[in-house]
Amino acid sequence: MGADLEALENALDYKFGNRELLIRALTHKSYRFEKPAPAAADVLADNEQLEFLGDSILGFVVSEVLAERCPTLPEGGLSKRKAHLVSAQHLHEAAQALQLGEYLLLGRGEELSGGRQKRALLANALEALIAALYLDGGLPIARALILAYIVRDVDVGQLLRPNVLEFAVSAVKLPFRTLGLARSFAGQLGQISAMDVILGLAEVLPSGAYSSAGIERYMRTVLSDPDRTNDFRLLENELYLAATDLDTCERIVFGANDWDDVPISTAVSASTALPMVYKPVEVKERELVDGGIVSTTNIDIAVEAGAKFVVVVNPLVPYVNDFSKRIGRLFPRPQRVSDMGFPQIGYQVFKLLAYQRLHEMARQWEQRYPGVDIVLIEPEPNDELMFQTSIMNFTSRVEIARHGFESVTLKLSEDYGKLRRVCQRHGIEISATRVRKVVKHFAAEKERTRAWRKILEQTTGALLRQSASE
């Protein structure tokens, strides 16, 4: 066996009560066949029967999860997605993510022929491992593996993957940079500020705290389903994503001419590369960052493509303090933004700049785009939860989804008359009653997180149809 089983158990986050089940799941038939006859009796059975059982468990769990997450998808669509998730290719990728090949017990011939990397062999071993987990710990344990590696959900490790390589390079350069600064500052001690030192050392820091490689990989996996595509040119509807060239300040539009050959997953990672948070993404020998740098909304892209009805969702609204919240037990006083900490001060300034630029443009929309209806949806300026929750806060994503959905629904209800007239011009029917039913439907769910996760996984249309049928 190529690696310690304890490392595999750590990856699974599960300790086997019966370690022999785990060993059996990792034992290929070639390992038994090549053992001498006397020793063969001491070798555990191979993993073929466990593979048979694991295949059934996998099919059941995948079917259950798909039915739960996609309640409006027809049987044909569910079957396509299931076929992809249980395919040998997909299981092979999941087994590679677990580094399962390192733990296999193989015969010499299979070892020499590259068995640890073979697609079918790894896929079968993963199914056997699912069965071993089921027999040792029950269905919830087997289900956890399937959800983590096969029916994958986005996790913090994918969205916030540390830029390890550049941090390592910076660590090597830092002592030399420090020595260089000390020499350049020699004889100027009375004229040097702490900011001079900080900025001088900052030159060797990484180009971003995180790498967006995890985002690209997640999107590539999601778009690999048989009824999806990772190619702009194969989409039924047009899709455009904007990014900014860090060197030339030029806006790049993925999906347009000359840039439609870039995979959608790569375009997403570049378009969302917030400067200094994520390192720039290199595409066609260009370093690209967030597409909102040149233009906050990029509305002109949609209008030039022929859009007549545009919905702009802007979460970056500065917080207008109403001073209703008081702090301090001995000497109570109104809470100020500065009391919320250094990050919130920077966040407030960042939001204010983005908000001001957007609304300066919004005042010109009617003149610049005659005949185009543009609806702007934003949080209320006194929405403290939206302000205090950082856009990088992964743990609060479901709570923010719920809060955002409820607040937007209320906003739609308040502006119902105006929005209904706008929608009617474009052949879209909306119903204030139906929108309210959506909130009522999810409020009735027992498990709040599970209920509101569906908001992230379904379209609004699906939610409305579901609520209307009740």
Side-chain angles (χ1 to χ4, degrees):
M1 190 169 299
D4 183 8
L5 288 181
E6 188 174 345
L8 178 57
E9 288 180 320
N10 290 337
L12 296 171
D13 196 22
Y14 177 75
K15 294 290 184 183
F16 274 82
N18 181 2
R19 179 66 75 86
E20 291 185 354
L21 276 172
L22 176 57
I23 296 173
R24 181 182 173 187
L26 300 170
T27 303
H28 188 252
K29 61 184 179 182
S30 64
Y31 185 77
R32 297 191 73 239
F33 290 161
E34 294 186 13
K35 289 293 178 181
D42 299 327
V43 179
L44 292 169
D46 60 50
N47 62 8
E48 288 196 348
Q49 282 198 342
L50 287 179
E51 175 199 337
F52 171 78
L53 175 60
D55 179 70
S56 297
I57 297 168
L58 174 63
F60 166 71
V61 172
V62 168
S63 298
E64 179 191 34
V65 172
L66 288 176
E68 177 186 328
R69 293 186 177 183
C70 311
T72 61
L73 196 65
E75 181 183 359
L78 291 171
S79 296
K80 282 184 179 180
R81 293 196 179 186
K82 179 183 176 182
H84 167 71
L85 291 171
V86 302
S87 67
Q89 177 61 39
H90 187 70
L91 295 181
H92 176 238
E93 292 173 0
Q96 285 183 314
L98 264 173
Q99 297 182 322
L100 203 56
E102 297 181 11
Y103 304 95
L104 297 179
L105 287 168
L106 303 175
R108 179 173 173 78
E110 196 65 60
E111 183 82 62
L112 292 175
S113 65
R116 296 189 186 278
Q117 301 298 326
K118 288 183 179 178
R119 184 172 70 176
L121 194 151
L122 284 173
N124 295 342
L126 182 58
E127 289 181 330
L129 179 59
I130 291 170
L133 288 167
Y134 168 75
L135 293 173
D136 193 74
L139 185 60
I141 301 300
R143 193 176 194 272
L145 170 67
I146 294 169
L147 291 178
Y149 287 93
I150 299 174
V151 189
R152 290 186 287 256
D153 193 8
V154 66
D155 59 47
V156 67
Q158 291 170 315
L159 293 180
L160 301 176
R161 180 176 294 181
N163 187 7
V164 177
L165 180 59
E166 289 193 17
F167 271 110
V169 172
S170 296
V172 174
K173 290 182 177 179
L174 189 58
F176 298 98
R177 180 59 182 166
T178 303
L179 182 60
L181 283 177
R183 289 174 177 171
S184 64
F185 290 158
Q188 307 178 48
L189 295 180
Q191 305 175 32
I192 299 169
S193 68
M195 188 60 69
D196 292 326
V197 177
I198 292 172
L199 292 176
L201 294 176
E203 292 182 15
V204 298
L205 292 179
S207 58
Y210 299 102
S211 164
S212 58
I215 297 176
E216 190 282 329
R217 181 176 180 179
Y218 174 75
M219 290 301 303
R220 179 161 30 95
T221 301
V222 169
L223 296 176
S224 66
D225 278 7
D227 54 347
R228 298 171 180 168
T229 180
N230 197 24
D231 191 327
F232 283 99
R233 296 164 296 187
L234 299 179
L235 293 171
E236 293 183 8
N237 299 311
E238 296 174 59
L239 172 65
Y240 301 99
L241 298 172
T244 304
D245 188 315
L246 191 58
D247 293 300
T248 65
C249 304
E250 176 188 359
R251 183 177 68 179
I252 303 298
V253 182
F254 295 108
N257 292 336
D258 300 328
W259 291 94
D260 59 354
D261 57 336
V262 176
I264 296 173
S265 56
T266 302
V268 170
S269 66
S271 181
T272 57
L274 193 63
M276 294 182 288
V277 177
Y278 289 99
K279 72 174 185 177
V281 177
E282 185 173 339
V283 183
K284 294 186 177 182
E285 299 183 346
R286 297 197 187 202
E287 289 196 336
L288 307 180
V289 294
D290 191 339
I293 304 298
V294 175
S295 173
T296 305
T297 62
N298 293 291
I299 283 180
D300 58 304
I301 298 174
V303 175
E304 288 175 8
K308 296 298 182 183
F309 183 26
V310 181
V311 178
V312 178
V313 180
N314 174 41
L316 300 177
V317 174
Y319 176 61
V320 178
N321 194 352
D322 60 7
F323 301 104
S324 60
K325 187 173 182 179
R326 302 184 70 80
I327 59 174
R329 293 184 178 180
L330 296 177
F331 305 101
R333 63 176 179 81
Q335 183 186 42
R336 297 183 178 276
V337 171
S338 60
D339 296 316
M340 301 178 190
F342 180 80
Q344 297 304 328
I345 297 174
Y347 200 29
Q348 175 80 322
V349 173
F350 169 68
K351 283 190 167 185
L352 182 58
L353 291 173
Y355 180 83
Q356 287 295 110
R357 185 171 70 165
L358 171 61
H359 279 260
E360 285 178 8
M361 293 298 299
R363 285 189 284 270
Q364 304 173 27
W365 282 347
E366 281 192 32
Q367 294 179 350
R368 291 188 64 180
Y369 309 120
V372 178
D373 288 309
I374 302 173
V375 174
L376 177 61
I377 299 176
E378 298 176 316
E380 293 296 327
N382 61 350
D383 192 329
E384 188 173 341
L385 177 63
M386 287 294 293
F387 176 69
Q388 288 196 331
T389 306
S390 167
I391 56 175
M392 303 302 295
N393 190 326
F394 183 82
T395 58
S396 300
R397 67 195 188 284
V398 176
E399 181 183 1
I400 289 297
R402 178 184 182 119
H403 175 72
F405 191 81
E406 288 179 330
S407 60
V408 168
T409 300
L410 291 174
K411 180 68 174 175
L412 293 178
S413 298
E414 292 171 4
D415 298 339
Y416 173 70
K418 176 183 176 182
L419 291 173
R420 185 181 183 186
R421 289 191 296 273
V422 171
C423 290
Q424 281 180 336
R425 287 200 290 269
H426 302 277
I428 301 172
E429 181 183 353
I430 64 172
S431 165
T433 303
R434 190 175 294 178
V435 170
R436 293 190 190 100
K437 280 186 177 181
V438 175
V439 175
K440 182 179 178 181
H441 172 78
F442 283 99
E445 290 271 3
K446 294 181 180 180
E447 298 179 37
R448 191 174 82 168
T449 299
R450 177 181 173 185
W452 285 91
R453 182 179 293 278
K454 293 177 184 176
I455 293 176
L456 305 175
E457 295 169 346
Q458 297 185 64
T459 64
T460 304
L463 290 169
L464 294 176
R465 288 193 297 273
Q466 185 176 357
S467 65
S469 64
E470 295 181 347

